[in-house]
Each structure stands twice: as C-alpha cells, then as structure tokens.
Amino acid sequence: MRRVTVIRRLQRSGGTQSKAGGLTMLKIQVPFSDRKQQRKKRPRTLWKTMAAATVFIGHALFINTSSAAITLPGNYVDPYHQLVADAGYVEKTAQVNQVQLSYVEGPDNGPPLVLLHAQLMDWFSYSRVMPELAQHFHVFNIDYPGHGKTVTPANYPMNADQIGADLANFIENEIGEPVYITGNSSGGLLATWLAAYRPELVTSVLLEDPPLFSSEYPRITETIAYRAFRTSHEAATVDHPDDFLLYWIDGNADFFRNNIGVGSPFILKQTIKAYRLTHPNQPIELGIIKDDIVRLLLRGLDQYDPRFGAAFYDGSWNYGFDHATALMQITAPTLLLHANTEIMEDGTLNGAMSQEEADQAASLLQNGTYVKVAAEHVVHLDNPQEFLRILLDFFQPEEL
C-alpha cells in the first residue's frame, strides 16, 4: 500500500516555544489507496451545509440503493448502539444552571475526556470511536445546548459565552477535575472557549476542524455555511415550525426536485414519518441512507434547535468571543486538526477554515501543533481510525 506523507512547518508568534524550538513539523501518513477508494464510494462532503446533505440523501435514496439493499425504516438499528452499550456507556442528565444537560458517560478507565460534537449532530456522531476511547479514558460525551436531548429555556442565550460557562460548570460539578477535551466544528469553538477562559479545567485540547475566524461576522457571510444558517434563522425568527427536520426538507424541496426527481422530497418525508410511527420519541435513523455522516446528520436535525444556527447567521453567537484573543490565551497543549477545504469559483469558502485562517490560528497558539488531514469535516466519522490515532498519539503518547 502506497502511503503519502504530508509535512507542514509553521512559525509561532509569541508565547512559549514548543519542543521543536518554536517550529511545528507534523508528518501525517494517510493510506492513499484507502482514501482513493473512499472517494469512489461517495461524493465529497461539504462543511456543515444542509444543501450538501441533500446531495448525499438524494444519492442514498435514488442512486446508491437497490431494492435488495434497502432497509425498511422500521427495521434498521445502527450496530453502534450495541457496541457503545457493550463498552459501558450510560446516558445521563445533569441540571446545570438553567440547562438540563444530556450526556453519555463511559466507564472510569483513565483520565476524563470531554467530547463536543459538531453543530447539527448529537453525541452519537462519536459512536464509531467511543468503544476505543473507553479503553483509555473516562469519557463524557455531551449534547451541548441546542442539540440532542439537552433542554434549554426559551430565553436561553445561544452564544459561546453562555454555553461555555455552562459547560465549565458541568466539568466542575460533575467531573471535578481537569479534562482532556476535543470538539468538532462548533464543538471545537466551545473547546477553544474553555481552554482560553477556564484554563484550570483543561489539561489538553484537540480542535477538530473548528471554523476559527470563518464563523465570525462578517466573514461568515462569505462561507457556504452561511447559506445553511439562513434556514435556521428563518425558522427561529419567522416561521417557528413544530418540526424542524420536515421544515428543512421543505426548504430544500426545489433542490431535490431539480437534481433528484419530482417526488423525492415527498418520499424522504414519508420515510421519516413512517420511522416515527414505529419509533415514537426516538431520533431519526434511516437505514436506507448508507452514508454515516448524512444518516447521523438527519438524526441531529431531528433534535436540533434552530436558534443555535440563527445565532451564527446574525453574528450573535460570537458576541464577546474574539477568536484571535482566545487562541492567544490558551496555554494548554493544543492540536489544531484541519480537514479538507476549498474556495469555490465565486470565492465562497467551502470548509471550516481556509489555509490562511488555519495558519493564522496555529500561529497564535502558545503550545500548539497543527495537523492537516485528508478527511471530511467530521473527521471522526469520515476516518475514525485516523482520528483515533491522532488523538491517542497527542493525548497519551507514552502509551503508544
């Protein structure tokens, strides 16, 4: 198997020097043939975009399935539910200030590790790596406000300062000691907040493709994610739908009709309704959709509070949370993991960070390491084994 080695060097500005004397040199070995095969199996995943999700769902429903391969809505059970349970994980809730916080806790097999999923997802997005992580850590996998089964009051401020403060209270009261922490996407922004403003609670941090700088207003208006957040903003401020998932499908109906087929929105909605009849009060999981990222995105959307995305759309999510200032304040060892990205023909950013933004973020870290990985935005779903290798090598190198 041919393997490709990627090497990047970054000069840090300010802060303490790394063991390499202020330079980071990362060697990342990516199985080239494996990645090539993965690209053949499914289209390219776009960063946190509902429009991109429609591409995947369309392929899953009308191109990549056959009558022999289709799993009926009532029959499908994700095999990782059992694997996660067998690893010793238990779903719990904790009252944190005004928030009823939902989380999943693993067995006490090591130091505490906090997982913060991507926006639009929930804790189960980490299911592919949770069994292995349970062998090394005491895992706390949290549905932060706006996601999963976590419940917030109607007037809850959906911004980094409020959510970060509540997560800090959870760590203090429920865990009671400093934690290793990794967050993906918006979860990575929250991990950044915790490492910067509650450093006594953080041992080390892995930032999995966070939208640093690119999600700050007005820069966010130049990203493909901004188009997706418009749907959340309209739902939260104008339409107030009772069912956000079906509302989202209706909002993208023209795309489905034009690119997949006239009846495709109807088929997807009816499939969801059929699942709900046989699985009341359970998150949507459709076996007909073969792509893990898309299937778990639909699960997340089924539980998503559009106020969270609306706060990104109007810029209020980052009020008081300047990304550059926060990065400069982090003293804990920090790994910045940067996934695939591209600039579209019209200049729109399709990815969490441009290369320039990733380089800027890495340069501001006092004790930072930068890794560029050939994977999609949700690295722990797109390439679980590579994510585990990177995380364990960074958090527990003495055990390898």
PDB file of all heavy atoms in Angstrom, residues 361-382:
ATOM      1  N   ALA A 361      -4.529  30.698  12.890  1.00  0.00           N
ATOM      2  CA  ALA A 361      -4.926  30.114  14.167  1.00  0.00           C
ATOM      3  C   ALA A 361      -3.757  29.376  14.816  1.00  0.00           C
ATOM      4  O   ALA A 361      -3.488  29.536  16.018  1.00  0.00           O
ATOM      5  CB  ALA A 361      -6.107  29.164  13.970  1.00  0.00           C
ATOM      6  N   ALA A 362      -3.039  28.589  14.028  1.00  0.00           N
ATOM      7  CA  ALA A 362      -1.915  27.830  14.568  1.00  0.00           C
ATOM      8  C   ALA A 362      -0.812  28.752  15.081  1.00  0.00           C
ATOM      9  O   ALA A 362      -0.171  28.475  16.097  1.00  0.00           O
ATOM     10  CB  ALA A 362      -1.370  26.885  13.507  1.00  0.00           C
ATOM     11  N   SER A 363      -0.594  29.856  14.387  1.00  0.00           N
ATOM     12  CA  SER A 363       0.485  30.773  14.774  1.00  0.00           C
ATOM     13  C   SER A 363       0.206  31.476  16.092  1.00  0.00           C
ATOM     14  O   SER A 363       1.132  31.968  16.747  1.00  0.00           O
ATOM     15  CB  SER A 363       0.708  31.810  13.669  1.00  0.00           C
ATOM     16  OG  SER A 363      -0.354  32.750  13.636  1.00  0.00           O
ATOM     17  N   LEU A 364      -1.063  31.551  16.492  1.00  0.00           N
ATOM     18  CA  LEU A 364      -1.431  32.252  17.722  1.00  0.00           C
ATOM     19  C   LEU A 364      -1.348  31.364  18.966  1.00  0.00           C
ATOM     20  O   LEU A 364      -1.390  31.873  20.088  1.00  0.00           O
ATOM     21  CB  LEU A 364      -2.845  32.826  17.596  1.00  0.00           C
ATOM     22  CG  LEU A 364      -3.028  33.918  16.539  1.00  0.00           C
ATOM     23  CD1 LEU A 364      -4.506  34.285  16.405  1.00  0.00           C
ATOM     24  CD2 LEU A 364      -2.207  35.149  16.870  1.00  0.00           C
ATOM     25  N   LEU A 365      -1.249  30.071  18.769  1.00  0.00           N
ATOM     26  CA  LEU A 365      -1.219  29.139  19.894  1.00  0.00           C
ATOM     27  C   LEU A 365       0.153  29.150  20.555  1.00  0.00           C
ATOM     28  O   LEU A 365       1.180  29.047  19.886  1.00  0.00           O
ATOM     29  CB  LEU A 365      -1.559  27.729  19.429  1.00  0.00           C
ATOM     30  CG  LEU A 365      -2.998  27.512  18.951  1.00  0.00           C
ATOM     31  CD1 LEU A 365      -3.114  26.165  18.245  1.00  0.00           C
ATOM     32  CD2 LEU A 365      -3.979  27.603  20.112  1.00  0.00           C
ATOM     33  N   GLN A 366       0.166  29.254  21.882  1.00  0.00           N
ATOM     34  CA  GLN A 366       1.430  29.263  22.619  1.00  0.00           C
ATOM     35  C   GLN A 366       2.093  27.889  22.621  1.00  0.00           C
ATOM     36  O   GLN A 366       3.320  27.784  22.624  1.00  0.00           O
ATOM     37  CB  GLN A 366       1.189  29.703  24.065  1.00  0.00           C
ATOM     38  CG  GLN A 366       0.666  31.125  24.202  1.00  0.00           C
ATOM     39  CD  GLN A 366       0.538  31.533  25.653  1.00  0.00           C
ATOM     40  OE1 GLN A 366       1.397  31.229  26.480  1.00  0.00           O
ATOM     41  NE2 GLN A 366      -0.534  32.241  25.980  1.00  0.00           N
ATOM     42  N   ASN A 367       1.289  26.849  22.678  1.00  0.00           N
ATOM     43  CA  ASN A 367       1.808  25.483  22.775  1.00  0.00           C
ATOM     44  C   ASN A 367       1.018  24.612  21.807  1.00  0.00           C
ATOM     45  O   ASN A 367       0.315  23.703  22.202  1.00  0.00           O
ATOM     46  CB  ASN A 367       1.682  24.984  24.214  1.00  0.00           C
ATOM     47  CG  ASN A 367       2.410  23.668  24.446  1.00  0.00           C
ATOM     48  OD1 ASN A 367       3.125  23.180  23.586  1.00  0.00           O
ATOM     49  ND2 ASN A 367       2.203  23.082  25.607  1.00  0.00           N
ATOM     50  N   GLY A 368       1.122  24.941  20.523  1.00  0.00           N
ATOM     51  CA  GLY A 368       0.237  24.345  19.535  1.00  0.00           C
ATOM     52  C   GLY A 368       0.909  23.408  18.557  1.00  0.00           C
ATOM     53  O   GLY A 368       2.117  23.479  18.309  1.00  0.00           O
ATOM     54  N   THR A 369       0.105  22.534  18.003  1.00  0.00           N
ATOM     55  CA  THR A 369       0.511  21.594  16.970  1.00  0.00           C
ATOM     56  C   THR A 369      -0.544  21.629  15.876  1.00  0.00           C
ATOM     57  O   THR A 369      -1.739  21.622  16.171  1.00  0.00           O
ATOM     58  CB  THR A 369       0.610  20.163  17.541  1.00  0.00           C
ATOM     59  OG1 THR A 369       1.589  20.133  18.572  1.00  0.00           O
ATOM     60  CG2 THR A 369       1.004  19.167  16.455  1.00  0.00           C
ATOM     61  N   TYR A 370      -0.123  21.685  14.648  1.00  0.00           N
ATOM     62  CA  TYR A 370      -1.036  21.746  13.508  1.00  0.00           C
ATOM     63  C   TYR A 370      -0.941  20.455  12.709  1.00  0.00           C
ATOM     64  O   TYR A 370       0.152  19.986  12.389  1.00  0.00           O
ATOM     65  CB  TYR A 370      -0.682  22.930  12.610  1.00  0.00           C
ATOM     66  CG  TYR A 370      -1.460  22.984  11.306  1.00  0.00           C
ATOM     67  CD1 TYR A 370      -2.704  23.599  11.235  1.00  0.00           C
ATOM     68  CD2 TYR A 370      -0.948  22.407  10.143  1.00  0.00           C
ATOM     69  CE1 TYR A 370      -3.415  23.645  10.052  1.00  0.00           C
ATOM     70  CE2 TYR A 370      -1.650  22.454   8.954  1.00  0.00           C
ATOM     71  CZ  TYR A 370      -2.887  23.075   8.918  1.00  0.00           C
ATOM     72  OH  TYR A 370      -3.592  23.107   7.747  1.00  0.00           O
ATOM     73  N   VAL A 371      -2.098  19.874  12.393  1.00  0.00           N
ATOM     74  CA  VAL A 371      -2.155  18.664  11.575  1.00  0.00           C
ATOM     75  C   VAL A 371      -3.167  18.874  10.458  1.00  0.00           C
ATOM     76  O   VAL A 371      -4.321  19.208  10.710  1.00  0.00           O
ATOM     77  CB  VAL A 371      -2.556  17.431  12.405  1.00  0.00           C
ATOM     78  CG1 VAL A 371      -2.749  16.213  11.498  1.00  0.00           C
ATOM     79  CG2 VAL A 371      -1.514  17.130  13.463  1.00  0.00           C
ATOM     80  N   LYS A 372      -2.714  18.686   9.238  1.00  0.00           N
ATOM     81  CA  LYS A 372      -3.594  18.705   8.075  1.00  0.00           C
ATOM     82  C   LYS A 372      -3.916  17.264   7.710  1.00  0.00           C
ATOM     83  O   LYS A 372      -3.012  16.452   7.498  1.00  0.00           O
ATOM     84  CB  LYS A 372      -2.913  19.410   6.891  1.00  0.00           C
ATOM     85  CG  LYS A 372      -3.733  19.434   5.609  1.00  0.00           C
ATOM     86  CD  LYS A 372      -4.931  20.342   5.719  1.00  0.00           C
ATOM     87  CE  LYS A 372      -5.666  20.470   4.399  1.00  0.00           C
ATOM     88  NZ  LYS A 372      -6.861  21.324   4.492  1.00  0.00           N
ATOM     89  N   VAL A 373      -5.190  16.916   7.665  1.00  0.00           N
ATOM     90  CA  VAL A 373      -5.579  15.542   7.413  1.00  0.00           C
ATOM     91  C   VAL A 373      -6.484  15.474   6.187  1.00  0.00           C
ATOM     92  O   VAL A 373      -7.329  16.352   5.979  1.00  0.00           O
ATOM     93  CB  VAL A 373      -6.291  14.938   8.653  1.00  0.00           C
ATOM     94  CG1 VAL A 373      -7.563  15.691   8.977  1.00  0.00           C
ATOM     95  CG2 VAL A 373      -6.573  13.460   8.473  1.00  0.00           C
ATOM     96  N   ALA A 374      -6.300  14.460   5.366  1.00  0.00           N
ATOM     97  CA  ALA A 374      -7.121  14.261   4.176  1.00  0.00           C
ATOM     98  C   ALA A 374      -8.415  13.563   4.577  1.00  0.00           C
ATOM     99  O   ALA A 374      -8.559  12.347   4.464  1.00  0.00           O
ATOM    100  CB  ALA A 374      -6.361  13.443   3.132  1.00  0.00           C
ATOM    101  N   ALA A 375      -9.346  14.346   5.074  1.00  0.00           N
ATOM    102  CA  ALA A 375     -10.627  13.805   5.534  1.00  0.00           C
ATOM    103  C   ALA A 375     -11.668  14.900   5.444  1.00  0.00           C
ATOM    104  O   ALA A 375     -11.341  16.083   5.312  1.00  0.00           O
ATOM    105  CB  ALA A 375     -10.509  13.282   6.964  1.00  0.00           C
ATOM    106  N   GLU A 376     -12.932  14.512   5.554  1.00  0.00           N
ATOM    107  CA  GLU A 376     -14.010  15.482   5.530  1.00  0.00           C
ATOM    108  C   GLU A 376     -14.177  16.118   6.905  1.00  0.00           C
ATOM    109  O   GLU A 376     -13.508  15.757   7.869  1.00  0.00           O
ATOM    110  CB  GLU A 376     -15.301  14.817   5.056  1.00  0.00           C
ATOM    111  CG  GLU A 376     -15.194  14.105   3.711  1.00  0.00           C
ATOM    112  CD  GLU A 376     -14.748  15.007   2.572  1.00  0.00           C
ATOM    113  OE1 GLU A 376     -14.793  16.246   2.731  1.00  0.00           O
ATOM    114  OE2 GLU A 376     -14.356  14.484   1.519  1.00  0.00           O
ATOM    115  N   HIS A 377     -15.093  17.065   6.985  1.00  0.00           N
ATOM    116  CA  HIS A 377     -15.223  17.933   8.156  1.00  0.00           C
ATOM    117  C   HIS A 377     -15.398  17.161   9.464  1.00  0.00           C
ATOM    118  O   HIS A 377     -14.770  17.478  10.472  1.00  0.00           O
ATOM    119  CB  HIS A 377     -16.404  18.877   7.939  1.00  0.00           C
ATOM    120  CG  HIS A 377     -16.672  19.812   9.068  1.00  0.00           C
ATOM    121  ND1 HIS A 377     -15.724  20.666   9.585  1.00  0.00           N
ATOM    122  CD2 HIS A 377     -17.801  20.031   9.786  1.00  0.00           C
ATOM    123  CE1 HIS A 377     -16.252  21.383  10.566  1.00  0.00           C
ATOM    124  NE2 HIS A 377     -17.509  21.005  10.710  1.00  0.00           N
ATOM    125  N   VAL A 378     -16.248  16.142   9.462  1.00  0.00           N
ATOM    126  CA  VAL A 378     -16.429  15.317  10.656  1.00  0.00           C
ATOM    127  C   VAL A 378     -15.429  14.170  10.557  1.00  0.00           C
ATOM    128  O   VAL A 378     -15.749  13.053  10.146  1.00  0.00           O
ATOM    129  CB  VAL A 378     -17.877  14.811  10.779  1.00  0.00           C
ATOM    130  CG1 VAL A 378     -18.102  14.113  12.123  1.00  0.00           C
ATOM    131  CG2 VAL A 378     -18.857  15.972  10.636  1.00  0.00           C
ATOM    132  N   VAL A 379     -14.200  14.461  10.939  1.00  0.00           N
ATOM    133  CA  VAL A 379     -13.098  13.518  10.741  1.00  0.00           C
ATOM    134  C   VAL A 379     -13.374  12.207  11.462  1.00  0.00           C
ATOM    135  O   VAL A 379     -13.090  11.120  10.945  1.00  0.00           O
ATOM    136  CB  VAL A 379     -11.768  14.129  11.215  1.00  0.00           C
ATOM    137  CG1 VAL A 379     -10.615  13.157  10.992  1.00  0.00           C
ATOM    138  CG2 VAL A 379     -11.494  15.452  10.509  1.00  0.00           C
ATOM    139  N   HIS A 380     -13.947  12.286  12.664  1.00  0.00           N
ATOM    140  CA  HIS A 380     -14.150  11.066  13.453  1.00  0.00           C
ATOM    141  C   HIS A 380     -15.208  10.151  12.854  1.00  0.00           C
ATOM    142  O   HIS A 380     -15.297   8.979  13.243  1.00  0.00           O
ATOM    143  CB  HIS A 380     -14.489  11.405  14.908  1.00  0.00           C
ATOM    144  CG  HIS A 380     -15.719  12.225  15.094  1.00  0.00           C
ATOM    145  ND1 HIS A 380     -15.685  13.604  15.210  1.00  0.00           N
ATOM    146  CD2 HIS A 380     -17.035  11.880  15.196  1.00  0.00           C
ATOM    147  CE1 HIS A 380     -16.909  14.053  15.382  1.00  0.00           C
ATOM    148  NE2 HIS A 380     -17.745  13.036  15.377  1.00  0.00           N
ATOM    149  N   LEU A 381     -15.986  10.641  11.883  1.00  0.00           N
ATOM    150  CA  LEU A 381     -16.906   9.786  11.136  1.00  0.00           C
ATOM    151  C   LEU A 381     -16.327   9.389   9.786  1.00  0.00           C
ATOM    152  O   LEU A 381     -16.477   8.249   9.342  1.00  0.00           O
ATOM    153  CB  LEU A 381     -18.236  10.505  10.916  1.00  0.00           C
ATOM    154  CG  LEU A 381     -19.320  10.336  11.978  1.00  0.00           C
ATOM    155  CD1 LEU A 381     -20.531  11.201  11.647  1.00  0.00           C
ATOM    156  CD2 LEU A 381     -19.736   8.878  12.128  1.00  0.00           C
ATOM    157  N   ASP A 382     -15.657  10.312   9.131  1.00  0.00           N
ATOM    158  CA  ASP A 382     -15.117  10.035   7.804  1.00  0.00           C
ATOM    159  C   ASP A 382     -13.941   9.061   7.868  1.00  0.00           C
ATOM    160  O   ASP A 382     -13.806   8.187   7.017  1.00  0.00           O
ATOM    161  CB  ASP A 382     -14.684  11.338   7.136  1.00  0.00           C
ATOM    162  CG  ASP A 382     -14.248  11.135   5.702  1.00  0.00           C
ATOM    163  OD1 ASP A 382     -14.960  10.443   4.958  1.00  0.00           O
ATOM    164  OD2 ASP A 382     -13.180  11.667   5.329  1.00  0.00           O
TER     165      ASP A 382
END
